[in-house]
Amino acid sequence: MKFPATSPLIATCLFALLSMPFSAAAQADVTPEAETVLTVFEGPMSREALNEMRLTLSEQGVRLNYGNFQFHPQTNEMIGAELSMVVDGVSFKEYVEFVSPTCFLRVTKESGFSLEGC
C-alpha cells in the first residue's frame, strides 16, 4: 500500500534536517587565543615614530626593520613603509599604508602587523 503524500513529506523532513546549521554549535565551543600585543602606534607615520617603535620592540627582544617609504606628493608626509620583524625566529614582512591620521598599527607576537581604523 502506497501513500502518495508520504514521498513529499519525507523529502521535506530530509531537507529540513540537512539544512540545519550543525557546525555553528561546534564553533561556539572553540575559544580564540588572545594575541600578545607588543606595541601599538597611532597617528601620522614618520621616520621618528618608526624609530621609537623599533626601540620599544628592541627592548622586548624583537628586531624591527623598515624602509621603502612612500610620501604624499603635496604634503610630503609619510603615508607608507615596508616593515619587517623577527619574533622568536618567525619573520613577518608587510607594507603598511596610513591613509588617515586615525589609523592604528598593532604589532602582535603571533600574527605580526595589523592596521586598524583606516
Side-chain angles (χ1 to χ4, degrees):
M1 189 167 164
K2 269 190 171 179
F3 294 103
T6 306
S7 180
L9 179 63
I10 291 174
T12 304
C13 290
L14 282 174
F15 178 77
L17 284 173
L18 293 175
S19 63
M20 290 177 60
F22 291 110
S23 62
Q27 290 176 356
D29 296 336
V30 177
T31 57
E33 293 182 25
E35 291 191 324
T36 307
V37 177
L38 300 173
T39 187
V40 176
F41 174 75
E42 175 187 8
M45 187 184 289
S46 66
R47 289 181 181 178
E48 293 81 18
L50 287 174
N51 195 43
E52 286 181 32
M53 185 185 297
R54 182 184 63 80
L55 293 173
T56 301
L57 290 171
S58 177
E59 292 172 357
Q60 300 175 39
V62 177
R63 189 178 73 217
L64 174 72
N65 295 315
Y66 48 86
N68 295 332
F69 302 114
Q70 284 274 323
F71 296 94
H72 191 275
Q74 283 88 21
T75 63
N76 224 15
E77 291 180 7
M78 187 188 307
I79 56 172
E82 185 176 89
L83 305 176
S84 64
M85 70 174 180
V86 178
V87 181
D88 294 339
V90 179
S91 296
F92 297 97
K93 186 174 186 178
E94 188 170 334
Y95 181 82
V96 294
E97 188 173 290
F98 276 63
V99 294
S100 73
T102 59
C103 294
F104 292 93
L105 176 62
R106 184 178 314 270
V107 180
T108 60
K109 187 176 183 177
E110 294 79 13
S111 62
F113 309 103
S114 67
L115 199 58
E116 303 169 357
C118 291

